[in-house]
Amino acid sequence: MLIRPRRNRKSQGIRNMVEETRLSVKDFIFPMFLIDGINQKIEVSSMPGIYRYSLDLMLGEIEACMKLGIMAFDIFPAYPEIKKDKFATESHNPGTFYLKAIFKIKSTFPEAVVMTDVAMDPYSSDGHDGLVENGKILNDETLEILGKMSLAQAQAGADILGPSDMMDGRVGFIRSVLDKNGYTDVSIMSYTAKYASAFYGPFREALDSAPKMGDKKTYQMDPANYSEALIEAGLDTAEGADFLMVKPALAYLDIIKLLKDNSNLPIAAYNVSGEYAMVKAAAQKGWLDGERAMLESLLSIKRAGANVILSYFAKEYATLVKK
Ligand code: PBG
């Protein structure tokens, strides 16, 4: 035998040299759940180790993460039912707690990268990402609301907006609202290929944001589809997106690779709540080595082509590699 691939696996030193993919804390964005009030830290029951924080405690958590090298945070507010309405008015109410929180986070940690989500669901009494009329999700009417929400988030100091709503034309619409108002520096990380997935379950529990009626299949993509991701990628690129995102990550590694191979934009992948919950649940039962399963999952996302990984494992990963 002339070629024996095992020679390059014979010791840790050699394996280190030939390692093709390396994760870094720099790859991560840490999604965090925010609630109103003070001194609140409530665990999400389906996401062990993940909490909903009030702003005062979130500031401490962000500081701890930054000490571990995590620089980017995606802030998701949870609103009580009484604050929700059909038009998601709270999403752009200047006095609302999440906008004040973003302002406070940015003024406390100017070097932190703060990302926000653009979609109606946390603020909508219908629990949908768009405006609902007679059981239908209206596209163009939703854009107007997303535009107001985006502007409010930019005014609060967000560095990156993440439209997660999957309405047609929203990246271009948001870009023009931002630019018209002087926010040419605010970035857009588009949820380009966002699938109608069962893996968002724990997130909807965290925000109490599940749709009251129907599902999200008329706007989120069909998990069966591959080529369609390229249509979305083409549109988002033409409309001015700075990053393209694939979501979820693990069941869609082929889509991450597809976008990586077909775009020069940085590709992000969202390792979603259900993917986190699966590993945690199996680890709690002693059925999987949770730490190794975490590392292998995160590595696979990077190997598939993701430059940026949004993951609830971000802090745990950073803590582990710091040791
Ligand atoms: C809101 C939004 C969702 C997630 C991110 N932004 C839920 C959904 O579309 O129903 C999911 C994140 C996760 O599961 O971790 N549009």
Side-chain angles (χ1 to χ4, degrees):
M1 265 188 265
L2 216 56
I3 297 170
R4 287 181 179 270
R6 288 188 54 194
R7 275 197 289 269
N8 280 348
R9 301 176 199 141
K10 73 183 165 195
S11 67
Q12 191 59 52
I14 303 256
R15 289 194 294 273
N16 287 351
M17 279 191 274
V18 302
E19 187 175 75
E20 295 178 46
T21 308
R22 285 185 186 141
L23 278 171
S24 157
V25 290
K26 293 181 193 167
D27 301 331
F28 288 93
I29 298 177
F30 191 24
M32 297 179 85
F33 301 119
L34 176 76
I35 47 176
D36 201 6
I38 45 167
N39 201 26
Q40 300 289 310
K41 178 182 178 185
I42 304 164
E43 194 167 41
V44 181
S45 60
S46 50
M47 302 177 75
I50 296 296
Y51 300 86
R52 300 185 259 203
Y53 293 100
S54 54
L55 175 62
D56 52 342
L57 300 189
M58 185 174 274
L59 290 171
E61 183 65 5
I62 289 176
E63 186 172 19
C65 289
M66 291 181 74
K67 286 201 176 113
L68 294 166
I70 299 170
M71 295 292 291
F73 304 90
D74 195 357
I75 310 297
F76 292 94
Y79 274 87
E81 209 53 44
I82 47 155
K83 290 279 184 187
K84 300 181 186 183
D85 65 17
K86 184 176 158 62
F87 300 100
T89 311
E90 205 57 20
S91 67
H92 54 85
N93 166 9
T96 200
F97 78 86
Y98 96 97
L99 293 172
K100 289 194 281 189
I102 288 159
F103 182 80
K104 178 74 181 170
I105 294 167
K106 270 308 281 186
S107 42
T108 311
F109 307 109
E111 66 287 18
V113 176
V114 173
M115 176 166 165
T116 48
D117 208 63
V118 181
M120 287 173 63
D121 52 339
Y123 322 95
S124 153
S125 46
D126 294 302
H128 274 286
D129 296 17
L131 184 62
V132 184
E133 198 73 74
N134 301 321
K136 289 218 160 102
I137 313 298
L138 305 183
N139 194 89
D140 299 13
E141 292 78 354
T142 298
L143 297 184
E144 299 292 335
I145 298 168
L146 299 177
K148 289 183 194 163
M149 192 185 311
S150 298
L151 182 57
Q153 294 175 358
Q155 283 165 342
D159 298 286
I160 303 179
L161 305 189
S164 71
D165 55 284
M166 290 303 277
M167 295 302 119
D168 293 334
R170 89 273 206 214
V171 172
F173 191 91
I174 292 169
R175 185 72 270 158
S176 83
V177 169
L178 292 174
D179 291 356
K180 260 187 250 153
N181 287 279
Y183 292 99
T184 51
D185 279 350
V186 173
S187 312
I188 298 178
M189 180 182 290
S190 179
Y191 285 64
T192 296
K194 176 173 181 180
Y195 287 87
S197 171
F199 292 103
Y200 308 148
F203 173 97
R204 292 179 190 171
E205 184 211 315
L207 296 194
D208 220 347
S209 64
K212 301 280 165 42
M213 181 199 83
D215 53 40
K216 298 191 175 184
K217 289 182 187 168
T218 68
Y219 46 106
Q220 298 180 348
M221 284 175 60
D222 182 343
N225 291 358
Y226 179 81
S227 308
E228 194 184 350
L230 289 178
I231 299 178
E232 291 286 359
L235 287 168
D236 288 355
T237 305
E239 292 174 31
D242 301 285
F243 302 79
L244 305 180
M245 189 208 290
V246 176
K247 176 181 176 191
L250 294 173
Y252 300 87
L253 295 177
D254 55 335
I255 309 299
I256 297 173
K257 168 96 170 105
L258 178 70
L259 294 204
K260 185 68 197 169
D261 288 347
N262 286 281
S263 175
N264 294 321
L265 287 174
I267 306 300
Y270 200 138
N271 179 215
V272 298
S273 57
E275 299 174 321
Y276 176 88
M278 278 196 299
V279 172
K280 286 291 171 194
Q284 279 187 351
K285 281 196 166 258
W287 290 353
L288 272 183
D289 177 334
E291 198 173 286
R292 288 184 55 209
M294 165 184 81
L295 289 173
E296 190 174 330
S297 309
L298 295 172
L299 191 69
S300 74
I301 295 167
K302 184 150 186 196
R303 192 190 63 234
N307 307 88
V308 180
I309 303 172
L310 295 99
S311 179
Y312 303 97
F313 284 121
K315 188 183 180 197
E316 191 177 339
Y317 170 80
T319 307
L320 187 71
V321 296
K322 193 88 178 181
K323 273 196 231 155

